[in-house]
Amino acid sequence: MSPEFQTLWAAPESKAPAPLLIRDLLLGAATALGAAGSPTPRLDADVLLASVLGLERAQLYAHLRDPWPAAALDAFSALLRRRLAGEPVAYLIGHKDFYGLDLLVDARVLIPRPETEELVGAVLAALPITATGPVADIGTGSGAIALALAQHRPQLRVYGCDLSPAALVVARLNALRHGLGLTARLQWLLGDLGTPLPERVIGLVANLPYTVLDEVEPDVRAWEPTLALAGGGDRGTAIIARLLAQAPDLLLPGGFVALEIGWDQTSLLLPYAAAAFPHAELRVQRDLADRDRILWVQT
């Protein structure tokens, strides 16, 4: 038995050891993860074990009283050790759900967050179902935004731009995974911000780095790609400010910009947006936690 579980499940010497069940495995793993500082120890344990067993998390609960599968213990123990060291669950299982899409993720790309799902939802609400585009996802990473827009707007042409060749490999794999890899509606472009775009677009959508690197959580900084986290400068706004300066030359008349931003960056970024678009409508949309999250420019 793995060392992680020996002390947690040691039976009293005076009694025969009770059969260990899947619920015991989950309890032991969650206890270890909680002690190591995971904010979601039970969720982490559930997701890791479900992945090892080839089950959905909901299915796992139908098997809580089943004997734990000894053949899977080594694989589960290996994942648990990596999670105890701080490695993100999404990297351990190799995928992450985003706006209904199961996306491949690894250390080449940032793990998509719920806040970015809100950005996608807001953009889709602004795009008619018959929209043809083109729209550009700047800093596409895993392709999350680009793929969600293409999936939910069947006529939309989408560009996914990124400075990282490795990230674009992941984005292409995700496009193939969802049947969008061979369509002319979706193109992946290598380059800085919007510079590789071959034409003007009706919309620029981006979740660019908006953090101050020294303030990023240690586990995130240790495991997720620095290129996707750094570059915001000492206030987290440098890259977004650069895109806003480029944006007038990238947009078609009547186009829009939708940017995910830090909750405390509105007053810092609005002047850049106003300078780039002095006659546009500017607004900031709040997220589900009632914090500023999406900077909109409507020309």
Side-chain angles (χ1 to χ4, degrees):
M1 181 181 292
S2 170
E4 287 88 354
F5 306 126
Q6 287 177 349
T7 56
L8 289 169
W9 293 343
E13 293 183 2
S14 59
K15 297 181 180 179
L20 295 175
L21 308 179
I22 282 181
R23 67 180 183 185
D24 301 317
L25 192 65
L26 290 172
L27 176 61
T31 300
L33 288 165
S38 169
T40 54
R42 183 56 190 264
L43 175 61
D44 293 356
D46 287 355
V47 171
L48 293 178
L49 185 57
S51 177
V52 167
L53 298 179
L55 300 173
E56 297 293 332
R57 186 182 176 214
Q59 294 175 312
L60 189 65
Y61 284 88
H63 297 276
L64 290 180
R65 295 183 179 274
D66 292 355
W68 59 263
L73 186 58
D74 286 345
F76 182 62
S77 297
L79 290 180
L80 179 60
R81 282 193 293 271
R82 291 167 63 187
R83 180 62 189 133
L84 289 169
E87 190 170 350
V89 170
Y91 289 166
L92 295 176
I93 64 173
H95 60 97
K96 175 74 173 179
D97 183 74
F98 179 84
Y99 216 85
L101 298 171
D102 186 47
L103 298 179
L104 300 173
V105 293
D106 58 29
R108 292 173 287 183
V109 296
L110 191 76
I111 299 168
R113 266 61 171 188
E115 293 86 353
T116 309
E117 291 185 303
E118 294 188 51
L119 172 64
V120 168
V123 173
L124 288 174
L127 285 173
I129 192 68
T130 56
T132 58
V135 169
D137 171 18
I138 307 298
T140 191
S142 64
I145 293 173
L147 290 166
L149 295 178
Q151 186 86 339
H152 288 272
R153 292 294 178 268
Q155 300 178 56
L156 190 67
R157 290 195 297 119
V158 184
Y159 293 109
C161 304
D162 207 286
L163 190 59
S164 166
L168 289 178
V169 170
V170 178
R172 289 187 177 97
L173 290 172
N174 278 318
L176 290 169
R177 184 179 178 88
H178 292 284
L180 295 166
L182 301 177
T183 175
R185 291 199 301 117
L186 187 58
Q187 296 183 48
W188 307 107
L189 304 174
L190 178 65
D192 180 50
L193 298 178
T195 56
L197 288 172
E199 61 179 321
R200 290 177 180 253
V201 297
I202 65 166
L204 293 168
V205 186
N207 172 28
L208 294 167
Y210 56 79
T211 54
V212 177
L213 192 58
D214 288 343
E215 298 175 358
V216 174
E217 295 176 6
D219 283 352
V220 173
R221 187 172 178 179
W223 294 100
E224 300 194 49
T226 300
L227 186 62
L229 298 168
D234 60 1
R235 297 190 294 181
T237 56
I239 292 182
I240 296 176
R242 284 207 299 119
L243 180 60
L244 286 168
Q246 286 186 6
D249 295 327
L250 302 175
L251 283 182
L252 289 164
F256 68 90
V257 181
L259 305 173
E260 183 176 332
I261 65 173
W263 64 269
D264 57 349
Q265 293 174 340
T266 298
S267 62
L268 299 174
L269 287 170
L270 279 177
Y272 289 105
F277 297 96
H279 304 296
E281 176 192 349
L282 307 179
R283 62 185 176 90
V284 176
Q285 184 170 326
R286 300 175 78 82
D287 62 19
L288 293 177
D290 200 30
R291 297 177 297 188
D292 288 359
R293 187 59 63 192
I294 302 170
L295 173 60
W296 281 92
V297 178
Q298 180 63 60
T299 65

